[in-house]
Amino acid sequence: MRTAPILPTLAVFAFLGAVWAPTKGEPSPQDPYSSLDKQYKADVGKLFDTYCMDCHSGKNPPAGLDFEKFTSAKSVAGAPKLFQKVVQNIRSQVMPPMDPSPTLDERNRMADWIFRALSLDGTAEQPGRVTIRRLNRTEYNYVLRDLLYIDGDFSKDFPSDDVGYGFDNIGDVLTLTPLHIDMYLKAARSAVEKAVVVAKPKIRTASLEKGRYAEPNRMAEDGFVFLTNGDFVYDFPDCAPGDYELRLAMGASAIAVGPAIVEVYINRQLLQRIQITKPGLNDIGIPIRLPAGTATVGLRFTNDYYNANDPNPDRRDRNVLLQAMTLDGPQGLSGEIPDSHRRLLIAFPTATKNHMAAAREVLDRFASRAYRRPVTADESNRLLAIYQLVRDNGDTYEQGIRIGMEAVLVNPNFLFRVELDSSAGPRELSGIELASRLSFFLWRSMPDETLAKLGESGQLKDPKTLVAQVNRMLADPKAVRFSQDFSSQWLEIGRLAEHTADPAQFPGFDDQLKGDMAQEVTLYFQDMLANSRPVTEFLEGKSTYLNFRLARHYQIPGDFDEVFRRVDVSANHRGGILGMGALLTATSNPNRTSPVKRGKFIMDQLLGSGPPPPPPNVGVLDESKEAITSTRIRERLAQHRKDPACASCHRPLDGYGFTLENFDAVGVFRTQDGSFPVDAAGELPGGRSAVGLDGLKGELRSRNMDFVRTLTGKLLMFSLGRGMTPSDEVWANAVAKKLGKDATLPKIITEIILSDSFRKRPAKQAVQ
C-alpha cells in the first residue's frame, strides 16, 4: 500500500512562529547626527529655506508640514514616514509646485541628506531586515527542476504571488494559505514520480490446464493434483532477461508422516527443493534469474506416500495440490532509466550495505541539497522512519525513497528561506546563507554543488572568492533565468501576457507577437549582462533583437526569419528599451496610447522619481468613441490638469509620456493619430522640453546618475526580497557616483554582492 506523508498546515505556521518570534535587542548609544547638522547649516538648510519655507511654515501649512520644526537631522529621523513622502515629492518634481524650482542637482542633495538622516548613520551601511519568506512560484519551479534534475512547470496552478515594490519575491507580501499546502503536496508527488522510477513488474499467471503432465496426475476443480510422483511442466513465453520471482500456491495431504517434497526446475535445471510442512495452502516465493526467451518451469513430486491401513484417514495418502503459479518480473528497473533517477539514487542495497543504510545515504544527500544546508541527525532519522514505514507496508526500495523525498519537499526548511537574526548586533551571513542568497539572486534557484561546498567551507565569505563566483554564475546558462525574471518585472512587461488590444484597430496583434515582444526584452537584457555593456544603452542604445514577425510589425525592411538577431534600428526611430513594443504596449490602453502610464513608467522605473498615488475620487478621462475620435489625448489631458489636485502630478507625467506619442498602442511608429497629426513634444519639469524618442533620450542622458541609482536600487530589492531602507538609498546613491557612466550590470551586481546589505543580517528587533 502506498503511503504519503502529509504536513499539516498547522505545522508550517508553528514553524513560522518559531523563527519569527522577536526578542529584545539593545539600541545603539551613538549619536550620528553632528556631521549631518553641519551639512544642513552649510547647504541643505538653505535649499529648504529657498524652495520650501514660504509655503511650509507658519500657521496651517499645506499638508500640516511645517519645516521650521525639522531643522536638525535627529528631528527628521524622528518622522521617517513623513520625510520619505517628502523625498518622493522632491524627486518626482511634484514639489515645489511653482517657480522657483530646484535644479536636479539640488533636488538630489536634499533627498540624499534626508535619507542619511533617516538611516540613523550618515556614513555606515546598515543591513535591512530580510523577512523569512516562502519560495515564490518562479523560485519553487526552478528549485524543483535543479533539485530533481528534471524539466517541467510544477507551479503553474499555484495562486499568483502578491507583488511588493514591483517584484513578486518580496518577503513581506508572500503570504501562505492552506491552498498552498495542498498545491505543494500535489506538485511534490508529481515531480518526484517523474524523477524517480519505481519498478512495476509484470505478473504472469499460469493457465494450469495448459500445462504438460502424465496420468494419473490430473486437473481438478481446485487446481492441478499430484496423485503420485510425477512432473508438471509449464512454459512462460517472451520473458525479458532479468530477476524474477516464481510464486507457487501449494498444499499437501498426509504431511503428519513427513513433508511433501517438490523439486523446482527452470529450463530443465534443478533450482530448489521445496518441503511442504504446513497444512493448508503454502505461499512460496522463489527468486530466479532468467535469460531472454521462454522460461520452462517444471515441478516434480518426489515422495509419494500411501498406507491404506492407517487408522487415521489424514495419514493414509500424501498428495500435492498446485492451486496457482505466477512469474513476477523482471524485478527492478528495465528499459531506459532517466538521468534524474541515476543522479538521485546514489546508493542501493547490496550484499555489504543493507537497504536502511542505502536509503539514509540517498535521503541525507537529497535533504541537504533541498534545505540548502547539511541535514541534522534528527531530520535524517525522521526521514528514515518514513522510508521504513513505506517498506513495512510492502513497497519497494524505490517507492520508499520516493515518499521520503516527498516529505522533504513539503518541509518548511525547503519551502522557506530562513535566516535568523543575532541578538548581539548585525552579523555576517554564514557561508551557507551567503551561497543561498547568491544563487536565488542570479539563478532564481538553489546553490549548485560548487557554490554549496564553498559556502560550507566558509571560503565563499572571502571577497575575492565571492566575486569569482559571481562571474562564474553570470556566465552560466542558468543566468538566463535572472535576465528573464528581473527584466520582465523591472520593465513591467509581465502584464503584457494579459494585455488585450482592440482587434478592430490592431488585427495583427496576437499571442505569438506578444511572445516575440517579450523575447526581444529578454535577449536585449541578456546581451547587456553577458557583454558588460554600459547600462546607459538601456536608454540610448541603437540596436535591438528582431525576428521576421517583429521586424514586420515594426515596419523594418530586411531578410529575417524565426531566429532573433541583433539589428541596428537607430534609423527606424527605435533603439534601447523605450522603442520596444513590449514596453510601449504594456503602458497603453486597449484602444489608445496612455501618456500617463508611459510617463509614470519613465519616472518610476527609470528615474526613481515616481509621483505619489493619486488622490481619492480623482476624475477620469472621457473614453467614449466620440471623445477619442474628436479630441486629441493632449487636449483631454490638458482639461484634466485644470483640476488643482491633478495638475502637480500630471505635469511631469504627461510631459514624459507625450514624447512617445509617435508609437501607437501596440508599439508601431506613426505620424498620424486618426485624423490628427501626432504631436510628440513634451514639456518637462524645470522648464525643459523634449520632442519624440530622440529628444527623450537626450533628456534622460542628462539624468544618467538618476538612472544608475534607480537601477541599482531595483536590483538590490530584487536580490534581497525587501524594499529599500534609507541606508540603502544612501548606498545606491554612492554606487551611482562611483560607477557613473562606466556602470554595467555585472559591476552593479558585484557592488550589491559585496555590500553590507547583502552580506549581513541586522540585530533582532526589540519587543515594543
PDB file of all heavy atoms in Angstrom, residues 34 52 81 273 339-340 390 491 560 579 610 649 726:
ATOM      1  N   SER A  34      25.845  64.743  14.128  1.00  0.00           N
ATOM      2  CA  SER A  34      26.555  66.028  14.139  1.00  0.00           C
ATOM      3  C   SER A  34      27.024  66.445  12.755  1.00  0.00           C
ATOM      4  O   SER A  34      26.870  67.613  12.352  1.00  0.00           O
ATOM      5  CB  SER A  34      27.746  65.958  15.093  1.00  0.00           C
ATOM      6  OG  SER A  34      28.623  64.903  14.708  1.00  0.00           O
ATOM      7  N   CYS A  52      11.112  75.841   0.058  1.00  0.00           N
ATOM      8  CA  CYS A  52      10.038  75.171   0.797  1.00  0.00           C
ATOM      9  C   CYS A  52       9.402  76.023   1.895  1.00  0.00           C
ATOM     10  O   CYS A  52       8.201  75.890   2.176  1.00  0.00           O
ATOM     11  CB  CYS A  52      10.567  73.875   1.434  1.00  0.00           C
ATOM     12  SG  CYS A  52      11.364  72.752   0.260  1.00  0.00           S
ATOM     13  N   LYS A  81       8.197  58.284   8.105  1.00  0.00           N
ATOM     14  CA  LYS A  81       7.157  58.158   7.078  1.00  0.00           C
ATOM     15  C   LYS A  81       6.897  59.497   6.403  1.00  0.00           C
ATOM     16  O   LYS A  81       6.719  59.569   5.186  1.00  0.00           O
ATOM     17  CB  LYS A  81       5.873  57.605   7.695  1.00  0.00           C
ATOM     18  CG  LYS A  81       5.983  56.156   8.152  1.00  0.00           C
ATOM     19  CD  LYS A  81       4.651  55.632   8.668  1.00  0.00           C
ATOM     20  CE  LYS A  81       4.768  54.173   9.087  1.00  0.00           C
ATOM     21  NZ  LYS A  81       3.466  53.641   9.601  1.00  0.00           N
ATOM     22  N   ARG A 273      14.604 -27.461  -3.939  1.00  0.00           N
ATOM     23  CA  ARG A 273      13.685 -28.473  -3.406  1.00  0.00           C
ATOM     24  C   ARG A 273      12.818 -27.829  -2.340  1.00  0.00           C
ATOM     25  O   ARG A 273      13.322 -27.194  -1.429  1.00  0.00           O
ATOM     26  CB  ARG A 273      14.451 -29.650  -2.823  1.00  0.00           C
ATOM     27  CG  ARG A 273      15.078 -30.554  -3.866  1.00  0.00           C
ATOM     28  CD  ARG A 273      15.695 -31.797  -3.211  1.00  0.00           C
ATOM     29  NE  ARG A 273      16.219 -32.704  -4.218  1.00  0.00           N
ATOM     30  CZ  ARG A 273      17.446 -32.626  -4.731  1.00  0.00           C
ATOM     31  NH1 ARG A 273      18.279 -31.669  -4.318  1.00  0.00           N
ATOM     32  NH2 ARG A 273      17.840 -33.492  -5.654  1.00  0.00           N
ATOM     33  N   ASP A 339      17.926  10.001 -16.448  1.00  0.00           N
ATOM     34  CA  ASP A 339      19.138  10.528 -15.828  1.00  0.00           C
ATOM     35  C   ASP A 339      18.868  10.991 -14.404  1.00  0.00           C
ATOM     36  O   ASP A 339      19.712  10.847 -13.518  1.00  0.00           O
ATOM     37  CB  ASP A 339      19.682  11.684 -16.671  1.00  0.00           C
ATOM     38  CG  ASP A 339      20.932  12.300 -16.079  1.00  0.00           C
ATOM     39  OD1 ASP A 339      21.962  11.606 -16.008  1.00  0.00           O
ATOM     40  OD2 ASP A 339      20.878  13.485 -15.678  1.00  0.00           O
ATOM     41  N   SER A 340      17.672  11.544 -14.172  1.00  0.00           N
ATOM     42  CA  SER A 340      17.336  12.019 -12.830  1.00  0.00           C
ATOM     43  C   SER A 340      17.399  10.877 -11.820  1.00  0.00           C
ATOM     44  O   SER A 340      17.894  11.044 -10.701  1.00  0.00           O
ATOM     45  CB  SER A 340      15.944  12.650 -12.826  1.00  0.00           C
ATOM     46  OG  SER A 340      14.967  11.718 -13.283  1.00  0.00           O
ATOM     47  N   VAL A 390       7.059   2.940   4.761  1.00  0.00           N
ATOM     48  CA  VAL A 390       6.668   2.534   3.406  1.00  0.00           C
ATOM     49  C   VAL A 390       7.082   1.094   3.142  1.00  0.00           C
ATOM     50  O   VAL A 390       6.311   0.285   2.599  1.00  0.00           O
ATOM     51  CB  VAL A 390       7.285   3.486   2.369  1.00  0.00           C
ATOM     52  CG1 VAL A 390       6.936   3.038   0.955  1.00  0.00           C
ATOM     53  CG2 VAL A 390       6.803   4.909   2.594  1.00  0.00           C
ATOM     54  N   LEU A 491      10.778  46.099 -15.996  1.00  0.00           N
ATOM     55  CA  LEU A 491      10.199  46.828 -17.117  1.00  0.00           C
ATOM     56  C   LEU A 491       8.689  46.614 -17.236  1.00  0.00           C
ATOM     57  O   LEU A 491       8.071  47.072 -18.201  1.00  0.00           O
ATOM     58  CB  LEU A 491      10.897  46.417 -18.422  1.00  0.00           C
ATOM     59  CG  LEU A 491      12.412  46.705 -18.430  1.00  0.00           C
ATOM     60  CD1 LEU A 491      13.046  46.206 -19.718  1.00  0.00           C
ATOM     61  CD2 LEU A 491      12.688  48.189 -18.234  1.00  0.00           C
ATOM     62  N   PHE A 560      14.699  38.504 -42.652  1.00  0.00           N
ATOM     63  CA  PHE A 560      14.553  37.959 -41.309  1.00  0.00           C
ATOM     64  C   PHE A 560      13.872  36.593 -41.376  1.00  0.00           C
ATOM     65  O   PHE A 560      13.147  36.288 -42.325  1.00  0.00           O
ATOM     66  CB  PHE A 560      13.716  38.882 -40.425  1.00  0.00           C
ATOM     67  CG  PHE A 560      14.351  40.223 -40.159  1.00  0.00           C
ATOM     68  CD1 PHE A 560      14.067  41.322 -40.973  1.00  0.00           C
ATOM     69  CD2 PHE A 560      15.227  40.391 -39.101  1.00  0.00           C
ATOM     70  CE1 PHE A 560      14.636  42.548 -40.730  1.00  0.00           C
ATOM     71  CE2 PHE A 560      15.808  41.620 -38.850  1.00  0.00           C
ATOM     72  CZ  PHE A 560      15.516  42.707 -39.658  1.00  0.00           C
ATOM     73  N   GLY A 579      12.052  51.960 -27.208  1.00  0.00           N
ATOM     74  CA  GLY A 579      11.475  51.743 -28.528  1.00  0.00           C
ATOM     75  C   GLY A 579      10.944  50.337 -28.706  1.00  0.00           C
ATOM     76  O   GLY A 579      10.602  49.941 -29.831  1.00  0.00           O
ATOM     77  N   GLY A 610       8.959  58.485  -9.043  1.00  0.00           N
ATOM     78  CA  GLY A 610       7.535  58.350  -9.303  1.00  0.00           C
ATOM     79  C   GLY A 610       6.704  59.272  -8.442  1.00  0.00           C
ATOM     80  O   GLY A 610       7.060  59.576  -7.299  1.00  0.00           O
ATOM     81  N   CYS A 649       0.957  66.527 -10.253  1.00  0.00           N
ATOM     82  CA  CYS A 649       1.463  65.213 -10.644  1.00  0.00           C
ATOM     83  C   CYS A 649       1.463  65.033 -12.158  1.00  0.00           C
ATOM     84  O   CYS A 649       2.399  64.461 -12.728  1.00  0.00           O
ATOM     85  CB  CYS A 649       0.627  64.100 -10.008  1.00  0.00           C
ATOM     86  SG  CYS A 649       0.826  63.971  -8.221  1.00  0.00           S
ATOM     87  N   PRO A 726      16.309  53.697   4.134  1.00  0.00           N
ATOM     88  CA  PRO A 726      17.066  54.935   3.929  1.00  0.00           C
ATOM     89  C   PRO A 726      18.562  54.688   3.760  1.00  0.00           C
ATOM     90  O   PRO A 726      19.222  55.337   2.943  1.00  0.00           O
ATOM     91  CB  PRO A 726      16.757  55.735   5.202  1.00  0.00           C
ATOM     92  CG  PRO A 726      15.380  55.293   5.588  1.00  0.00           C
ATOM     93  CD  PRO A 726      15.365  53.827   5.274  1.00  0.00           C
TER      94      PRO A 726
END
